[in-house]
Amino acid sequence: MRTSSFIAGLVMLMGLMMGVNTLQASHYMGVDITYECINNCTYRIYHTTYYDCSGAAMQGFIPPNPNNPPPDPNFGFDITGIPNFPGQTCAAPTALNNWTYVPGSYVDVTPVCPTVLTACDGVPNAPVRGVVAVTYTRDYNFCNTNCNIYNIEWGTCCRNAAITSINGGAFGSVGIFTGNTQINTTLSPCNSSPQFGNIPTPYLCSGQSYTFNQGAFDPDGDSLVYSLGPCFDNQGVQVPYFPGFSATQPLGAGWNVTINALTGDINFTPNPGGPPVVAVVCVKVEEYRNGVKIGEVVRDIQVTVLDCNILGTPNAPPIVSALTNLTPGATANGLTVTSCACQEVCFDIETLDPDSGQTYIMYWNQNVPGTFVDVNNPLVPVDTLFSTGATPTAQFCWVPTQTGTYQFLVTLVDDGCPLLGQGQYSIVINVNSCSLDPFVDENRLSCNTFELDGYPCGGAPPFTYAWTGTGGISGNTATITHTYPGPGTYNYTLTITDSTGVSSTYSDTILVNNTAIANAGPDITLCSGQIASIGTPALPGYTYQWNSFFGLGWAGAINPASAQANVLFNNGTTVPFTIPFTLTATDPFGCVSFDTATVIFQPKPAAGISGPPTACVNEVITLSFAGLQIPGTVYNWDFGGGTSVGTGPGPNQVSWSTPGLKTVKLWINVNGCPSDTIAKTIQVFPIPTSGFSVTPSVCAGSSAQVVYTGSASPASATFLWDFDGGIGTG
């Protein structure tokens, strides 16, 4: 039997997540506006909004259908210039096209497990309302403008009615406005704003700590600084926070919310219990170049804290717990690593989750050029790790060549229900200058050509460089390109001297070898007219060329630029025809290798039959193969119903028990190659019989009549008579 507290909690949760029917006009859960420099005149504006699937604006588009997105964000959109001097009127940029929906952005981004259906799935009054993200773009020409700074502004009504942190939020009467995205037209080359890599849909379980990161990055490599700021109802008007709520304490007194200015990590810590709440959080991202601020963007997001006990079993989010197994010389303080330039730094990224037996996905944003591997399979760099039954552990390795502060983002997601447990964690690497020992990065450009990049890794600039070594290497710049005379092992030395006269050297060897692999496949034997494939499957990045001294036009449909080729030849001679095919393989570096496959084209065997053209019934005649007898030949006889004694080429003794025309056939197989079938016709005659009638008695001197009565034809037979002294004719 349900308790009254359970029912009360359920009613509160449903109110937070579904609202009431009279509030369906509200729908906006957040917005961010960024831009990309296309060329010196053209900037592409990206406008991304996040919708509550229960809101009225989404009702005609549920379930989400990428071919039927919501209307474009023309309402309230403006690009306003800041005058360079009092009284100046800023010309507006020229729109080059209409707002264009970005395919693939109109998707359900609610972080729930597959078995939980939301309003985005078209389920009326679903316990989880759900979120849809929609992105539009539009290009503007700023070359006709006359002011330096332009703010991109957009606002509309209304925010999501589920919000409980602001006055009027439950009635959907509070608007949403953003106007901090700035474009500085004086920057050269033109600037792109910071971009966001993570979907801003934090769903938290009450009482649980949570870390969320925007996944922000700057395409131009500018420095980013993060802070919490106020959210706006309209231009210049902040949202009316309830008492206890503010821009820096957006979830109220029950939660401590902090942001790391360097990494952008937002930590939500329950204080003391972290009750359910739906709140607005705005994150300002400022962009600095050479220590000077050049722009900013603000991201307006909604954070939803749920009582997960009502939905089902609470799911604790996995966390990055520690950095361990650091390479000697590197140290870690929490998720911050300190190391030296030009020395490899490696460490394991340990994770932890109280919920066992789950499936996990762990991935990073590749914000530094290192390698990310699964410790259980360290030979294969990956972007994403998959782990079943145990939290994954990744290993990161990198050789930084310059001092500075670097960071990358690790995201960890489990498959818990109803909410996916997830968190984002920034790993910071402080690279210090520890010595003047140079470091050389070797980059192979072609088979015998290498690019060598020298890094001083300390000292006072400017630096001078001196390269020496075998194979003719020399140079006096930080980067040199050298082509070696051929395969071999070559030594080189780099000496770097700083502005104070302090020098240091680095020596190493380069192995120049032929890395190409050519494999023409095994030698084969074919029959005349038979088609077959030579070669082996292509290797990635390779190019191929086949040749033979007979040319390729006669050899069927051979493709000379393929790793595998079909060969065909009609050998009309009486002897085998041996043809070598040479394969030239060129690898991605331009190294060349050769291999040859020899193909023996056997001639077509000729079959012949020798023997008499006629025979008598039951007469034994001799039939033999007429041709060159080759050892190993298989003879296939068909004697047309006759009885034979003997096999192979003959002589074969054959007879027939009935008269008539008999057809004898023979085909042979030499080295697996069959001949045509040869036929010979033999006339088999019946055995004649003797018989006659005669006048039984006559007088001496008188004639007696003798008549042949046997089976022979008088027209074709020869008759031999013996009249016992009498004289007869006919």
Side-chain angles (χ1 to χ4, degrees):
M1 182 175 183
R2 299 176 184 270
T3 65
S4 59
S5 61
F6 177 87
I7 296 175
L10 179 60
V11 171
M12 178 179 67
L13 178 66
M14 299 296 283
L16 288 176
M17 303 187 70
M18 295 189 298
V20 293
N21 292 335
T22 59
L23 304 180
Q24 292 300 303
S26 61
H27 46 268
Y28 284 102
M29 299 179 66
V31 62
D32 51 68
I33 299 176
T34 60
Y35 62 87
E36 176 188 6
C37 170
I38 303 301
N39 52 52
N40 287 331
C41 288
T42 305
Y43 289 81
R44 179 164 297 162
I45 310 299
Y46 292 89
H47 181 284
T48 302
T49 47
Y50 303 90
Y51 293 84
D52 180 342
C53 285
S54 297
M58 295 299 299
Q59 294 309 298
F61 311 98
I62 298 298
N65 181 359
N67 297 319
N68 190 26
D72 63 50
N74 280 328
F75 178 79
F77 195 89
D78 197 10
I79 301 179
T80 304
I82 300 176
N84 299 329
F85 51 85
Q88 182 187 23
T89 300
C90 297
T94 303
L96 301 179
N97 48 32
N98 294 324
W99 283 104
T100 303
Y101 157 68
V102 176
S105 69
Y106 181 56
V107 292
D108 180 357
V109 293
T110 315
V112 293
C113 61
T115 59
V116 174
L117 299 180
T118 72
C120 298
D121 300 305
V123 180
N125 299 322
V128 179
R129 301 168 71 122
V131 188
V132 163
V134 185
T135 299
Y136 283 87
T137 68
R138 196 178 195 184
D139 294 343
Y140 286 86
N141 184 349
F142 278 79
C143 279
N144 63 333
T145 59
N146 59 336
C147 293
N148 295 342
I149 306 295
Y150 282 81
N151 285 342
I152 304 174
E153 301 171 344
W154 175 85
T156 188
C157 180
C158 299
R159 290 182 183 268
N160 185 12
I163 298 171
T164 62
S165 65
I166 56 179
N167 191 4
F171 298 98
S173 60
V174 181
I176 184 170
F177 177 85
T178 180
N180 293 71
T181 301
Q182 295 178 344
I183 293 180
N184 186 337
T185 62
T186 66
L187 297 175
S188 181
C190 60
N191 182 56
S192 294
S193 74
Q195 307 295 316
F196 296 106
N198 285 341
I199 300 294
T201 57
Y203 275 68
L204 292 65
C205 288
S206 59
Q208 289 185 354
S209 297
Y210 184 80
T211 300
F212 175 73
N213 188 287
Q214 313 298 316
F217 64 95
D218 191 274
D220 308 310
D222 298 320
S223 299
L224 303 180
V225 176
Y226 303 85
S227 61
L228 296 177
C231 298
F232 286 86
D233 174 9
N234 207 332
Q235 186 174 21
V237 180
Q238 295 186 23
V239 296
Y241 293 102
F242 275 128
F245 294 85
S246 66
T248 56
Q249 200 65 20
L251 272 62
W255 291 86
N256 282 333
V257 181
T258 59
I259 188 168
N260 186 308
L262 174 65
T263 66
D265 286 350
I266 304 177
N267 294 308
F268 302 92
T269 306
N271 177 36
V277 64
V278 179
V280 293
V281 177
C282 286
V283 180
K284 178 189 293 187
V285 184
E286 298 174 286
E287 182 181 9
Y288 287 83
R289 183 175 298 175
N290 298 323
V292 178
K293 181 179 176 179
I294 61 173
E296 67 179 49
V297 296
V298 170
R299 194 176 216 190
D300 189 318
I301 64 178
Q302 175 181 299
V303 176
T304 303
V305 182
L306 306 175
D307 184 352
C308 295
N309 289 297
I310 297 175
L311 286 179
T313 303
N315 178 39
I319 63 173
V320 172
S321 57
L323 305 180
T324 61
N325 296 329
L326 281 81
T327 48
T331 60
N333 181 10
L335 300 185
T336 298
V337 173
T338 301
S339 185
C340 296
C342 305
Q343 296 180 7
E344 184 179 45
V345 55
C346 292
F347 51 85
D348 291 349
I349 304 172
E350 302 281 355
T351 61
L352 179 66
D353 191 347
D355 304 317
S356 61
Q358 293 181 326
T359 296
Y360 302 88
I361 299 174
M362 182 180 184
Y363 57 93
W364 72 309
N365 66 347
Q366 306 175 59
N367 206 41
V368 292
T371 58
F372 194 78
V373 301
D374 186 341
V375 294
N376 295 318
N377 188 15
L379 300 180
V380 183
V382 295
D383 300 329
T384 304
L385 278 68
F386 298 91
S387 179
T388 301
T391 49
T393 299
Q395 183 188 70
F396 173 81
C397 288
W398 180 39
V399 181
T401 57
Q402 296 185 15
T403 60
T405 299
Y406 306 85
Q407 62 175 296
F408 61 89
L409 184 67
V410 173
T411 300
L412 190 61
V413 183
D414 66 26
D415 64 345
C417 271
L419 297 181
L420 301 177
Q422 59 181 322
Q424 294 87 28
Y425 298 87
S426 295
I427 310 296
V428 178
I429 304 176
N430 293 319
V431 180
N432 298 326
S433 176
C434 302
S435 67
L436 187 63
D437 293 337
F439 172 78
V440 174
D441 184 19
E442 301 170 359
N443 183 24
R444 190 177 193 178
L445 302 180
S446 63
C447 191
N448 297 334
T449 301
F450 286 76
E451 178 187 82
L452 303 179
D453 299 308
Y455 299 93
C457 300
F463 302 95
T464 59
Y465 301 83
W467 297 87
T468 59
T470 58
I473 190 172
S474 64
N476 57 8
T477 58
T479 299
I480 63 170
T481 300
H482 182 69
T483 300
Y484 288 93
T489 300
Y490 300 89
N491 302 317
Y492 70 84
T493 297
L494 169 63
T495 300
I496 298 180
T497 304
D498 73 358
S499 60
T500 66
V502 177
S503 298
S504 188
T505 61
Y506 177 90
S507 298
D508 204 351
T509 60
I510 287 182
L511 173 63
V512 180
N513 60 342
N514 187 351
T515 53
I517 300 173
N519 189 351
D523 298 339
I524 60 174
T525 299
L526 299 179
C527 300
S528 177
Q530 182 181 0
I531 190 170
S533 177
I534 57 175
T536 53
L539 296 174
Y542 273 64
T543 58
Y544 297 90
Q545 179 68 47
W546 288 96
N547 289 288
S548 75
F549 59 83
F550 278 94
L552 299 173
W554 55 269
I558 187 172
N559 180 359
S562 173
Q564 292 178 287
N566 291 328
V567 292
L568 170 70
F569 180 56
N570 292 309
N571 185 1
T573 70
T574 59
V575 296
F577 210 83
T578 301
I579 302 174
F581 291 88
T582 300
L583 174 65
T584 303
T586 305
D587 73 4
F589 292 110
C591 297
V592 179
S593 180
F594 304 91
D595 193 26
T596 299
T598 298
V599 182
I600 300 175
F601 294 95
Q602 293 288 351
K604 191 170 187 176
I609 302 174
S610 66
T614 62
C616 294
V617 170
N618 294 325
E619 179 186 3
V620 177
I621 64 171
T622 299
L623 296 176
S624 301
F625 165 69
L628 179 64
Q629 295 187 18
I630 300 175
T633 299
V634 177
Y635 299 87
N636 303 282
W637 289 93
D638 180 355
F639 292 112
T643 301
S644 64
V645 176
T647 59
N652 299 296
Q653 307 300 313
V654 185
S655 63
W656 290 267
S657 61
T658 60
L661 290 175
K662 309 298 181 181
T663 300
V664 177
K665 298 178 182 179
L666 172 64
W667 67 97
I668 63 175
N669 192 297
V670 180
N671 296 320
C673 298
S675 70
D676 292 333
T677 299
I678 301 300
K680 180 180 180 63
T681 301
I682 298 176
Q683 178 71 55
V684 177
F685 295 106
I687 302 298
T689 59
S690 298
F692 58 90
S693 62
V694 62
T695 303
S697 62
V698 294
C699 295
S702 297
S703 296
Q705 186 179 42
V706 181
V707 179
Y708 174 67
T709 60
S711 61
S713 171
S716 59
T718 300
F719 298 89
L720 300 174
W721 294 93
D722 181 0
F723 295 113
D724 195 23
I727 300 172
T729 59

